[in-house]
């Protein structure tokens, strides 16, 4: 899957969203992204695993509202059952979050040795940075690598950055390339306040293919009136996809904004829903 292909997928989603009321045909969407209907259908199916028509069903507001209204075990109940308060199962992945020390957090990463790599993914190129304790930063590269690196450096202004693969960032790169064999536990080492950490620990318990709202997240951390603060914590997520802020939508079923572009949020939600449903059908 090349970045160029994802850009066409993203542009198709943008076009469909902009013209949702009149429901453009496959031929019209294919023409908009400069492909024949045959080649667009094949490219999209290879990427999503399902046809464009079926994929779009997962991006429907009514589908999102149904997912939100279905009865699922609460995030707290899920944590209690597994006994893993800061661990999440993403298919066969376990994600463990550790906070940076106050000194590391308040000093802009002074003394931290961070390795970073660029990696391809189904949703575009990403930059991944890690310390010896775990992954600290993942962001999509939407402009150029130089700017992506400058943004990383601004997040840790006094850290020492080296472009080098290590055990942690290579683990994340494998996940983005869907190579999950022998990944084991995925460790995150994050700069965060206690409140942000609490929100992110709850967020990683939302299974792939499911959705939640800011209010539901606030309830899960025992602070139902903190929806606005939860929204800020979700928006400040420094680790794209692995902390699944894309699974947080509005209670109306509208997906809403996303730090790395709303069409990418829709693409990730649709892809996860398609594959989660496929897995469920295999299990049942």
């Amino acid at each position: 899957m090349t970045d160029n292909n994802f850009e066409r997928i993203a542009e198709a989603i943008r076009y469909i969203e902009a013209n949702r009321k009149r429901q453009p045909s496959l031929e019209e969407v294919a023409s908009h992204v400069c492909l024949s209907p045959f080649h667009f259908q094949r490219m999209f199916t290879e990427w999503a695993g399902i046809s464009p028509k079926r994929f779009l069903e997962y991006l429907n507001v009514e589908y999102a509202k149904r997912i939100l209204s279905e009865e699922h075990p609460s995030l707290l109940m899920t944590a209690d059952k597994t006994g893993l308060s800061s661990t999440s199962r993403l298919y066969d992945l376990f994600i463990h979050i550790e906070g940076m020390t106050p000194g590391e957090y308040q000093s802009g990463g002074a003394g931290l040795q961070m390795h970073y790599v660029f990696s391809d993914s189904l949703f575009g190129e990403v930059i991944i940075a890690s310390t010896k304790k775990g992954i600290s930063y993942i962001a999509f590269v939407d402009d150029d690598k130089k700017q992506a690196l400058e943004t990383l450096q601004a997040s840790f202004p006094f850290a020492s950055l080296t472009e080098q693969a290590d055990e942690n960032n290579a683990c994340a790169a494998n996940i983005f390339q869907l190579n999950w064999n022998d990944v084991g536990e995925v460790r995150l080492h994050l700069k965060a306040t206690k409140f942000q950490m609490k929100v992110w620990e709850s967020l990683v318990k939302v299974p792939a293919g499911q959705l939640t709202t800011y209010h539901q997240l606030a309830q899960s951390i025992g602070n139902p009136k903190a929806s606005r603060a939860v929204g800020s914590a979700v928006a400040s997520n420094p680790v794209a996809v692995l902390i699944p802020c894309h699974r947080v939508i509005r209670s109306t079923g509208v997906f809403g904004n996303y730090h790395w572009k709303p069409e990418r949020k829709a693409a990730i939600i649709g892809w996860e829903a398609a594959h989660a449903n496929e897995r469920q059908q295999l299990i049942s």
Side-chain angles (χ1 to χ4, degrees), residues 63-215:
Y63 174 82
K65 289 168 71 174
R66 179 168 64 81
I67 292 295
L68 291 175
S69 65
E70 286 178 354
E71 291 188 9
H72 302 291
S74 72
L75 301 183
L76 293 177
M77 286 175 61
T78 302
D80 290 340
K81 286 181 180 179
T82 61
L84 301 170
S85 61
S86 61
T87 306
S88 171
R89 192 169 184 83
L90 171 63
Y91 297 146
D92 297 321
L93 303 178
F94 288 91
I95 298 177
H96 175 79
I97 302 177
E98 177 181 344
M100 292 185 175
T101 66
E104 292 168 333
Y105 175 80
Q106 295 169 5
S107 63
L112 279 180
Q113 300 291 321
M114 302 187 74
H115 295 160
Y116 70 91
V117 292
F118 292 94
S119 180
D120 292 329
S121 84
L122 281 171
F123 311 106
E125 189 175 30
V126 290
I127 182 172
I128 306 167
S130 57
T131 69
K132 62 181 181 182
K133 292 184 179 180
I135 301 156
S136 298
Y137 182 91
I138 301 177
F140 288 99
V141 180
D142 280 323
D143 295 303
D144 57 50
K145 291 184 177 181
K146 180 181 178 182
Q147 183 171 338
L149 183 57
E150 288 173 353
T151 304
L152 166 61
Q153 185 73 77
S155 298
F156 300 92
F158 302 113
S160 176
L161 301 182
T162 304
E163 186 170 10
Q164 178 181 323
D166 62 23
E167 180 180 0
N168 290 312
N169 60 41
C171 168
N174 283 337
I175 292 168
F176 275 97
Q177 293 165 12
L178 304 185
N179 179 16
W180 296 351
N181 295 327
D182 301 321
V183 167
E185 185 179 61
V186 181
R187 303 190 68 84
L188 306 183
H189 183 213
L190 304 181
K191 179 176 70 173
T193 65
K194 288 183 179 180
F195 183 83
Q196 287 173 327
M197 188 70 70
K198 200 171 184 179
V199 172
W200 297 342
E201 286 178 343
S202 187
L203 184 52
V204 296
K205 301 185 186 86
V206 180
Q210 297 298 326
L211 300 168
T212 190
T213 67
Y214 300 103
H215 179 63

Side-chain angles (χ1 to χ4, degrees), residues 192-266:
T193 65
K194 288 183 179 180
F195 183 83
Q196 287 173 327
M197 188 70 70
K198 200 171 184 179
V199 172
W200 297 342
E201 286 178 343
S202 187
L203 184 52
V204 296
K205 301 185 186 86
V206 180
Q210 297 298 326
L211 300 168
T212 190
T213 67
Y214 300 103
H215 179 63
Q216 288 173 342
L217 267 181
Q219 287 181 311
S220 74
I221 63 172
N223 197 343
K225 295 183 179 180
S227 296
R228 188 178 295 275
V230 164
S232 296
V234 170
S236 62
N237 169 28
V239 179
V241 180
L242 295 188
I243 295 179
C245 57
H246 58 274
R247 295 178 195 153
V248 187
I249 67 173
R250 298 173 185 169
S251 57
T252 58
V254 174
F255 288 176
N257 292 326
Y258 186 55
H259 180 70
W260 295 288
K261 298 184 178 180
E263 59 270 22
R264 179 174 279 117
K265 180 176 185 176

